[in-house]
Amino acid sequence: MKKKIVIPGELVSEERKKVGQHVFVENGKIFSDSLGLTYADSDFASVVPLHGKYLPQREDLIVGIVAQETFGGYLVDINSFYFSFVSKEFIRERLQKGSIISAKILSVNEINEAELGNVRVFYGGEIVSISPVKVPRVIGKNASMMEALKKGTASNILVGRNGRIWAKGGDIPLLLKAIKKIEEESHLSNLTKKIEHFLEEQKKEN
Amino acid sequence: MEKEIQYVKNGKRLDGRGLEDLRKLKIEAGVISKADGSCYLEWGQNKVFASVYGPREALPKHIQNPYKALVDYQYRMATFSVPDRKNPKPGRREIEIGKVSGEALEKAIFLERFPNTTIDVYVEILDSNAGTRVAALTAASVALADAGIPMRDMVSAVGVGKAGGEIILDLNKDEEDAPDAVDIPIAILPRTEEVVLLQMDGLLTKEEWKKAFKLGVKGCKQVFEMQKEALRKKYLEAEKETAETENIEMMGD
């Protein structure tokens, strides 16, 4: 596949194509709105950004941290512009400031506030923060990267779309190294193979 | 009486440049790790750091705009950036530059996608020699792209003007101090050539103005090419490296 690095305002396609993400149309031409990668031979005119913040989207699975307890529920930091509210009705255990939960985003309103559902509570484990635009690379095609990480480090991993990864058990230091490597090389191809190779080598060393 | 300085001699300026030459320009993106986006720029003697934080929730709440994001552009000159020590307190000049440059960037950013938020742009001038506002704006635009903030276009800026009776591009301090000096900072969106910042200090005839504006747009496009290169550089290098190592590995197999 032919990859191209585009900057904001650069032409992505002059043809009529399906309009994907991080592009905008002006006078029938499609332009990129951020610094990212585009694939010339794709049906979709879209750009995969290299940097950026998390904007909540419907159906996203996110990892949140409880920031504050209120009378009827909790305010959860989802790494977006605002805290989200989770009602105590849906949670059996009592949470504290700093508790980790995962949730699905049920809806997002016009000012990007997210409503959460399907809340699950996590005990223990660690949180790794990465850039939200790099989350797809940590998951991989058909979760291939996740499988490689799980196999290589024997950790339990949950990747939130908001750039937070929850991990527990197994070789956490190695996992951190691997995730850092993915983040640094996220714009390169054949990453899953490289990470598999990297994990094997690191295992041999230990 | 002082000896009169000749600003242009045989088509060469005081520092040896031609009439339509820029000073040496160096741009580097992503230099501050704690910032969401950043840029370091050297333009002749000018040295500028730009950093971008956000978008984040705008506080206090009463400054929020539910229809679009705010751009908070802070232009500051370091105390040691000018020959005499500068008072670090932001003065009339800095506040004005912050306002007009922030408005220039607003034209390029998709503000309506981030209601109730603010995008902070901090520009610090470490060393100055005329044309710092255009240097700052150029750096800020690269920092915004580095932060991944959606934009219609980059913002490229350059100074044009007149010294010694000639229309010249990218004035330095000596030329700016000429008795007949005119200084025009111009910023455009290079794709559409839309003007987003234009100020003028001095007097020009209609013909001179037309010539100066044309030259300014041309200069902005040159600056734009450098911005483009700076943003791509990091990734192109990495890509090349891996391509080479992959080749070696394949040969090894």
Side-chain angles (χ1 to χ4, degrees), chain A residues 110-178:
Chain A
E110 52 274 70
I111 57 166
N112 298 322
E113 284 173 331
E115 196 187 327
L116 304 182
N118 294 8
V119 179
R120 283 173 64 202
V121 182
F122 290 93
Y123 298 100
E126 292 197 34
I127 295 259
V128 189
S129 288
I130 58 163
S131 172
V133 293
K134 285 165 186 177
V135 166
R137 296 312 303 263
V138 179
I139 296 169
K141 256 183 210 148
N142 299 323
S144 59
M145 184 67 90
M146 276 254 279
E147 289 302 318
L149 287 173
K150 277 182 185 169
K151 213 178 137 198
T153 62
S155 304
N156 276 320
I157 305 171
L158 184 107
V159 183
R161 199 69 191 72
N162 57 341
R164 288 214 187 103
I165 302 168
W166 174 84
K168 191 179 180 182
D171 193 347
I172 297 281
L174 180 59
L175 181 73
L176 293 181
K177 268 191 212 165

Side-chain angles (χ1 to χ4, degrees), chain A residues 168-186:
Chain A
K168 191 179 180 182
D171 193 347
I172 297 281
L174 180 59
L175 181 73
L176 293 181
K177 268 191 212 165
I179 288 172
K180 205 177 163 208
K181 198 173 158 70
I182 296 171
E183 212 182 354
E184 276 166 6
E185 301 180 6
S186 62

Side-chain angles (χ1 to χ4, degrees), chain A residues 3 5 7-10 24 26 31-33 35 50-53 55 81-82 110-112 187-189 194, chain B residues 36 55 57 110 113-117 145-152 191 224 228 232 235 238-239 242 246:
Chain A
K3 257 197 303 196
I5 298 170
I7 65 163
E10 194 169 336
F24 64 97
E26 222 174 82
F31 299 96
S32 167
D33 76 7
L35 176 66
L50 290 163
H51 306 270
K53 282 239 158 183
L55 257 184
F81 309 126
Y82 315 98
E110 52 274 70
I111 57 166
N112 298 322
H187 58 290
L188 304 174
S189 39
K194 258 183 230 166
Chain B
D36 291 323
E57 190 181 2
F110 283 100
R113 293 196 196 169
F114 304 103
N116 286 351
T117 63
D146 185 50
I149 290 167
M151 292 199 285
R152 283 176 190 86
R191 181 166 56 84
F224 173 58
K228 215 168 162 178
R232 280 183 179 158
Y235 299 99
E239 213 155 59
T242 48
E246 265 166 22

Side-chain angles (χ1 to χ4, degrees), chain B residues 149-169:
Chain B
I149 290 167
M151 292 199 285
R152 283 176 190 86
D153 206 345
M154 302 290 291
V155 176
S156 307
V158 80
V160 284
K162 188 170 104 171
E166 294 271 3
I167 300 296
I168 50 178
L169 184 66

Side-chain angles (χ1 to χ4, degrees), chain A residues 38-92:
Chain A
T38 181
Y39 298 94
D41 41 9
S42 159
D43 290 344
F44 267 95
S46 67
V47 172
V48 182
L50 290 163
H51 306 270
K53 282 239 158 183
Y54 175 65
L55 257 184
Q57 227 114 61
R58 233 185 112 207
E59 298 287 303
D60 277 358
L61 180 74
I62 55 104
V63 172
I65 299 171
V66 175
Q68 202 185 326
E69 185 179 353
T70 59
F71 178 68
Y74 303 98
L75 292 178
V76 183
D77 176 10
I78 59 165
N79 198 20
S80 175
F81 309 126
Y82 315 98
F83 293 146
S84 284
F85 181 77
V86 177
S87 171
K88 280 181 181 167
E89 242 178 278
F90 305 114
I91 306 169
R92 281 189 202 172

